[in-house]
Amino acid sequence: MPTNRLLRPAAALLSTTARRAQPSTYGRLYEAVRQAHTSSQALNLPARPRPALRPDSRLPTGAPRGVRNIFIQTESTPNPDALKFLPNYKVVPPEVPTPFIEYLNPRSTIAPPYPSPLAAQLMSIDGVTSVFYGPEFITVTKSPDANWVHIRPEIFSLITEAISAGQPLVTVTQREAGEEGQEAAEEDSLSYNENDSEVVGMIKELLETRIRPAIQEDGGDIEFRGFEDGYVSLKLRGACRTCDSSTVTLKNGIEGMLMHYIEEVKGVHQVMDQEEEIALKEFAKFEEKLRAQKGPDAAPTTPGKDSLDSVPG
């Protein structure tokens, strides 16, 4: 019979008994400390205070003082040509009365009243067509033939450098009469105005509390242009400005909500710039050519009452 099987239990028992019989080093240390503490109390000796860390002896943090950890997130938008960047940094300064600034060309990035060195650098990237500043996000729009794989790293680098340097993203200057600048109103179009009627006040409140947050989530913003004969005039900004689904957003989303809560509202009109109207008409002509090639019975590619096919030539 092998002897290993008999020796193993005995050795284990012996080691256990030895551990119980002999106190450990930590047990002896504890007993010595306890006896010294008891003796000091019996002799009325003052106890020494525990050593405390000095304020300047704290452990070093992950980054040295003066260095800001920058973490930039990106979010996709309904517009495939627009990308939203969240630098965890206040983009539009508090002294700007409007919640957004839109740069549509390189000249607008250096013109008053809100020139931006960062926007100028972003607009210099090949393929970038516009830069939009929201309260705490930046939306960059590219041309359809540009690729995000080539553009995104440059955008990341420029935003990181601008924030790390501590330079203001927007500079407030005085605009001279007749000088062109950014697409930004002198004040927030949704802010309260004592001259507004009760209906206009309700429209602004609904746009501010229910509609603007959703549009800002998509990398854009909304601008109130007026209310006349039951129709609300609105202007979409940022990623929503050039989005193909902007008409659907206005009609199915914004118009439906306004008409549901405010009975005086009959509909919503989208206000477009001259360039947008030209592009819309050109696209309508292109659709007309496609239908002519396919035949008169061909279905429109964008059906609906307010589709591109119904735009007057």
Side-chain angles (χ1 to χ4, degrees):
M1 181 179 294
T3 58
N4 292 338
R5 296 183 179 179
L6 296 177
L7 292 177
R8 285 177 182 174
L13 180 61
L14 180 60
S15 62
T16 305
T17 306
R19 285 197 300 269
R20 291 178 179 176
Q22 300 177 358
S24 63
T25 304
Y26 296 103
R28 293 175 183 175
L29 180 61
Y30 173 75
E31 287 295 329
V33 172
R34 188 176 65 83
Q35 290 178 4
H37 179 68
T38 305
S39 301
S40 63
Q41 285 183 340
L43 297 175
N44 295 324
L45 296 177
R48 294 182 178 180
R50 292 185 178 181
L53 289 176
R54 296 179 180 178
D56 57 348
S57 62
R58 296 175 182 175
L59 296 176
T61 55
R65 294 181 179 179
V67 177
R68 176 185 175 91
N69 292 327
I70 300 173
F71 180 69
I72 301 175
Q73 292 180 294
T74 59
E75 291 182 0
S76 59
T77 68
N79 185 354
D81 293 328
L83 201 59
K84 182 181 177 183
F85 296 83
L86 296 95
N88 193 22
Y89 188 83
K90 189 70 175 177
V91 178
V92 178
E95 58 268 22
V96 176
T98 178
F100 65 86
I101 306 172
E102 192 168 20
Y103 303 92
L104 301 179
N105 52 68
R107 181 178 178 81
S108 64
T109 61
I110 60 175
Y114 310 124
S116 172
L118 174 60
Q121 293 176 331
L122 293 174
M123 289 291 291
S124 66
I125 299 176
D126 189 21
V128 173
T129 58
S130 67
V131 176
F132 180 86
Y133 284 173
E136 296 180 352
F137 65 90
I138 300 172
T139 300
V140 179
T141 304
K142 68 174 184 64
S143 58
D145 57 342
N147 196 331
W148 282 120
V149 176
H150 304 134
I151 297 177
R152 187 184 303 183
E154 291 190 64
I155 298 175
F156 264 113
S157 177
L158 292 175
I159 296 177
T160 302
E161 290 177 2
I163 297 177
S164 300
Q167 64 181 12
L169 302 185
V170 179
T171 305
V172 180
T173 59
Q174 188 68 27
R175 176 190 291 183
E176 297 180 1
E179 190 173 8
E180 295 183 359
Q182 301 79 28
E183 291 290 326
E186 296 182 356
E187 63 179 11
D188 187 5
S189 62
L190 302 185
S191 60
Y192 170 77
N193 190 328
E194 58 182 7
N195 297 324
D196 290 338
S197 63
E198 183 180 358
V199 176
V200 172
M202 290 189 295
I203 293 173
K204 286 185 175 182
E205 183 179 359
L206 193 59
L207 291 173
E208 173 70 28
T209 58
R210 301 293 296 275
I211 296 175
R212 169 173 274 176
I215 295 182
Q216 287 180 341
E217 283 291 322
D218 291 338
D221 210 315
I222 191 168
E223 191 175 356
F224 175 76
R225 290 292 186 90
F227 176 70
E228 188 176 359
D229 298 332
Y231 288 90
V232 182
S233 298
L234 301 174
K235 171 71 176 174
L236 294 178
R237 296 290 189 177
C240 303
R241 179 177 175 272
T242 57
C243 184
D244 295 335
S245 60
S246 60
T247 302
V248 178
T249 301
L250 280 172
K251 293 297 178 181
N252 296 352
I254 300 175
E255 183 180 79
M257 182 176 292
L258 289 175
M259 293 177 64
H260 175 76
Y261 287 102
I262 306 173
E263 59 181 7
E264 289 85 356
V265 175
K266 300 178 182 178
V268 171
H269 287 160
Q270 182 179 5
V271 178
M272 291 182 292
D273 298 332
Q274 184 178 2
E275 295 83 0
E276 294 173 333
E277 292 179 355
I278 293 175
L280 195 62
K281 290 182 180 181
E282 290 296 327
F283 191 77
K285 292 179 181 179
F286 178 73
E287 293 271 326
E288 198 68 35
K289 291 181 181 179
L290 288 180
R291 285 203 302 271
Q293 293 176 358
K294 296 178 182 179
D297 298 331
T301 56
T302 54
K305 175 184 176 182
D306 296 291
S307 65
L308 297 178
D309 301 274
S310 62
V311 176

